[in-house]
Amino acid sequence: MDDILIVGSGPAGAMAAAELTARGLRVTLIDYGDDDPALRSRVPDQPFSQLRSGDPDQRGYLLGDRLEGIPRSGTRVGAQLTPPRQFVNRAAESLLPIISEDFHPMQSLALGGLGAAWGTACCTYSARECELAGLDAAALAAQYPGVVKEAGISGPEQDPCTNQWWSGVAGHQPPLDLDTNSAGILSAYQRKAAGWLRRGFALGRIPLAINSVPHEGRGANPYFDTDFYGEARRSAYRPRYTIERLQKEPNFTYASGCLALNFRETPAGVDLLCSREGTKVTFSGSRLLLCAGAIGSARIALASMPLPGQKTTLLCSPYIYYPTLNLRMLGRPADDRRHSMAQLMALFGDLDRPERTCSMQVYSYRSLLLFKIIKEMPLAPWAGLLAARALQDALAIFGVFFPDAPGPTKTLRLGKSNTSPAPDLHIDYALTPEQAALQRGLEARLKRCFLGLGCVPLGRVDPGKAGSIHYAGTIPRINPVNPGFYSLPDGRLGGCERVFVGDSSAWNWLPCKGPTFTAMAGARVAAGHLAASLGGRE
Amino acid sequence: MLKHLNPTDKDIERLALAETDINQVQRFSPLRYGPVGNLAVILFAGGLGLLHAFALLTWRKIHPSRRGNIDG
């Protein structure tokens, strides 16, 4: 009965499990744990250019054995996953039903959760952002170094977003080398940095959870440009690595194959009901920590609480991306040596007011293959191919994220499912007119910034309402949709004594910056409160 | 409206299969003719390709049952 139960092996669940196990507590991590090691291991340990020109089996992992890597018309969120990563949302599609007209989130029942396909961008939040989100800035700041040590973060010594200094923090590493494309954009920015900053545009290197030097048994990134497919030297952090490490600890148990359904507090602790291979299984523990992701944790909590309406709010960063033509790279060769993840990060808007700021991640484009670009071109296929070959080395993709605030037009409601042991979730999501106007205004000014950096926008791609895969705010501190469904500052679920919320569900507001790194630090904060509730040191 | 001119799923599947065929990799390699050369290729492909795609779409609208690809 002393066990602490954690639901979910994603970034938050893995960090909380590491923290609680290190404190000597007995932890059972309950997870569905879908995985695809066979396909992952088929990606050769060699540069993308070499495997393209020399591996006759490349179709198997680039397109998948059933050609599942070719995006079809009308494909929902998740189409961007390469075949070796498609296990990430495979089981969730049938077992975690969503009913919505136009909001189709990516959910995961994979080992490592959505973290198995995380872009690895590590953003810290400013005091103002924490205040808006209802987070304890000081407590988070104390936990960021623990995440850095576990995940291994490479990047500038000074976090470009919040002026947090990483110098001397174990696990912090020098930044990865920029590719040719992004190095040109950064140098164009730096020549007139003061002017850009006056216009509210800040651009710099991005901290990434990718090793630039070996760390904790994982290798340095070999710059093979295969990071969207395989796990080159395990350089990019995946929560699975933490779970694998913990499985060697005597006080940690990994219970896989379990779909968590609901919980019930008992006088002695808490019972968690799960479905395992079609049968019901109950786990008992002294405390329960929900880390199933913002949507997953809300599904479990709503199914467990006797609340009228069974409804709550939902946050999701609006996301748009702009493919641009970096003129200085046109017709010039790009260096083969590069990694695939984001190269640069930018903030734009009223930089002192995060409610009126958007963030950007800058990618180059190569290892995702040309047919995906050609699909977006209003050209005959032969012409699309010719244009894509001429553009390829000069393409710079600016992915733009906007903040999100709760409101009555963004709701998630529990229903009954006929197809899964888990209940349906009905989602309605629409931006307020003010939010949409702010977004339009920022986008119009952004295009001028792209041009100023020598990047000509070629189009605007809207991947749909749930396309950012940044979700939060379903069990916030203050819930405007269902005031009886909330979490407390110490992470406990409102109305419960022994159930805690460890992921971004508990946030009141969602900044424009990627939430994963801060969610990992937040999970460590919640784990500390949970341990304190057992009489231990916080 | 231009979205209607995008290649069909069938076109994309054909391209994807060719792109991952080791014997056809060269057809997909980057063109590096310098800034002016590459810009000329893009303008040529864009202009003529747009006209071709528009003609193709019109053809398919007029003859909905004949899905022949005039690309050859």
Side-chain angles (χ1 to χ4, degrees):
Chain A
M1 188 51 88
D2 294 324
D3 275 5
I4 294 165
L5 308 177
I6 299 178
V7 179
S9 65
M15 281 296 153
E19 174 64 13
L20 293 167
T21 306
R23 287 171 183 248
L25 296 163
R26 261 178 36 201
V27 173
T28 301
L29 194 145
I30 292 135
D31 193 29
Y32 191 82
D34 203 4
D35 198 6
D36 194 353
L39 193 50
R40 190 166 52 234
S41 63
R42 275 161 64 181
V43 184
D45 188 35
Q46 55 182 249
F48 186 73
S49 52
Q50 273 180 33
L51 65 88
R52 288 283 288 124
S53 59
D55 184 3
D57 299 326
Q58 59 186 271
R59 187 175 291 161
Y61 50 85
L62 295 181
L63 298 184
D65 292 327
R66 297 178 308 284
L67 304 183
E68 61 270 30
I70 304 176
R72 317 279 169 178
S73 302
T75 308
R76 291 176 172 187
V77 172
Q80 68 269 46
L81 294 172
T82 58
R85 289 178 174 195
Q86 289 194 351
F87 72 94
V88 170
N89 67 340
R90 188 171 52 193
E93 288 200 350
S94 57
L95 290 173
L96 301 177
I98 296 284
I99 314 288
S100 180
E101 201 172 297
D102 52 5
F103 190 94
H104 302 288
M106 195 197 288
Q107 301 176 94
S108 180
L109 288 170
L111 170 54
L114 290 175
W118 177 34
T120 71
C122 293
C123 303
T124 52
Y125 289 168
S126 66
R128 175 66 182 148
E129 284 166 323
C130 288
E131 185 189 335
L132 288 164
L135 300 172
D136 181 341
L140 277 178
Q143 295 301 334
Y144 281 134
V147 183
V148 172
K149 183 174 184 306
E150 180 70 31
I153 309 291
S154 60
E157 283 202 347
Q158 182 190 2
D159 182 295
C161 298
T162 57
N163 295 332
Q164 296 218 31
W165 288 80
W166 297 122
S167 181
V169 172
H172 182 262
Q173 306 157 29
L176 289 156
D177 294 344
L178 290 179
D179 67 14
T180 332
N181 204 349
S182 298
I185 295 172
L186 184 61
S187 110
Y189 174 86
Q190 284 172 337
R191 277 196 294 276
K192 295 177 181 170
W196 282 116
L197 274 175
R198 276 197 301 276
R199 290 164 64 183
F201 187 68
L203 178 87
R205 287 166 178 267
I206 182 167
L208 296 169
I210 305 181
N211 288 344
S212 60
V213 295
H215 173 70
E216 300 275 332
R218 294 163 34 218
N221 191 279
Y223 297 99
F224 283 172
D225 195 14
T226 55
D227 306 282
F228 289 133
Y229 296 92
E231 294 185 341
R233 315 281 163 90
R234 291 191 160 213
S235 61
Y237 174 73
R238 300 295 167 211
R240 193 182 86 243
Y241 305 153
T242 297
I243 306 296
E244 286 172 358
R245 176 176 68 74
L246 294 176
Q247 282 180 280
K248 294 173 189 148
E249 303 290 336
N251 55 334
F252 178 82
T253 306
Y254 179 64
S256 66
C258 302
L259 178 67
L261 299 176
N262 58 61
F263 61 79
R264 188 173 60 91
E265 284 196 307
T266 64
V270 57
D271 288 347
L272 178 73
L273 182 71
C274 300
S275 170
R276 183 187 238 169
E277 292 174 0
T279 58
K280 298 278 165 67
V281 185
T282 301
F283 290 86
S284 297
S286 58
R287 296 289 184 275
L288 171 65
L289 181 60
L290 295 174
C291 292
I295 295 170
S297 291
R299 191 189 298 261
I300 296 166
L302 281 174
S304 311
M305 309 280 285
L307 286 168
Q310 304 280 288
K311 190 176 177 182
T312 187
T313 184
L314 168 69
L315 300 173
C316 172
S317 287
Y319 177 62
I320 299 294
Y321 64 90
Y322 285 90
T324 69
L325 173 62
N326 180 3
L327 289 174
R328 66 182 64 75
M329 282 298 296
L330 196 58
R332 297 205 173 98
D335 196 351
D336 260 359
R337 184 182 175 279
R338 42 168 292 178
H339 69 85
S340 316
M341 301 302 198
Q343 305 278 326
L344 302 170
M345 178 171 179
L347 292 174
F348 178 65
D350 186 345
L351 296 179
D352 295 326
R353 294 179 63 195
E355 316 89 292
R356 305 187 67 81
T357 304
C358 61
S359 78
M360 275 159 283
Q361 293 179 15
V362 186
Y363 289 81
S364 295
Y365 188 104
R366 191 179 60 173
S367 60
L368 285 178
L369 301 180
L370 292 187
F371 73 89
K372 290 188 182 176
I373 310 178
I374 298 167
K375 185 175 184 292
E376 302 299 328
M377 293 181 175
L379 297 175
W382 67 267
L385 174 58
L386 199 57
R389 290 177 69 194
L391 285 170
Q392 188 178 8
D393 284 339
L395 269 182
I397 317 290
F398 287 75
V400 188
F401 298 88
F402 298 87
D404 196 20
T409 58
K410 302 164 186 171
T411 60
L412 181 156
R413 181 170 52 81
L414 203 68
K416 282 199 168 71
S417 175
N418 298 321
T419 56
S420 167
D424 285 343
L425 285 181
H426 297 252
I427 298 181
D428 292 309
Y429 184 96
L431 296 182
T432 60
E434 299 77 33
Q435 212 180 350
L438 172 72
Q439 189 174 322
R440 275 197 304 274
L442 282 171
E443 282 190 63
R445 288 160 57 208
L446 256 183
K447 284 182 202 160
R448 292 200 288 273
C449 294
F450 297 155
L451 287 170
L453 291 172
C455 297
V456 181
L458 299 174
R460 173 187 187 272
V461 182
D462 181 350
K465 284 181 176 174
S468 67
I469 319 176
H470 294 174
Y471 313 124
T474 49
I475 318 175
R477 310 285 192 238
I478 300 163
N479 192 332
V481 168
N482 188 347
F485 190 63
Y486 61 96
S487 57
L488 293 159
D490 69 357
R492 262 182 308 134
L493 180 63
C496 294
E497 281 297 315
R498 301 180 185 87
V499 181
F500 289 72
V501 179
D503 54 32
S504 61
S505 310
W507 301 2
N508 288 335
W509 180 80
L510 184 58
C512 61
K513 304 171 196 162
T516 306
F517 185 60
T518 296
M520 292 198 281
R524 288 173 58 93
V525 174
H529 289 308
L530 188 153
S533 77
L534 289 166
R537 185 170 49 85
E538 196 163 320
Chain B
M1 194 202 80
L2 284 178
K3 279 265 174 197
H4 292 294
L5 303 178
N6 286 16
T8 62
D9 283 354
K10 192 99 188 142
D11 294 328
I12 293 302
E13 183 174 323
R14 222 173 2 236
L15 274 167
L17 291 175
E19 192 168 6
T20 50
D21 176 353
I22 197 163
N23 300 312
Q24 299 190 56
V25 165
Q26 207 53 38
R27 276 182 62 204
F28 293 84
S29 58
L31 297 175
R32 287 161 182 167
Y33 299 145
V36 177
N38 273 38
L39 194 60
V41 170
I42 292 165
L43 292 176
F44 169 77
L48 209 58
L50 200 64
L51 278 176
H52 186 174
F54 188 70
L56 196 69
L57 194 73
T58 312
W59 173 265
R60 284 175 182 166
K61 274 196 174 156
I62 295 169
H63 304 284
S65 58
R66 294 170 64 179
R67 305 294 293 172
N69 187 349
I70 61 172
D71 263 350

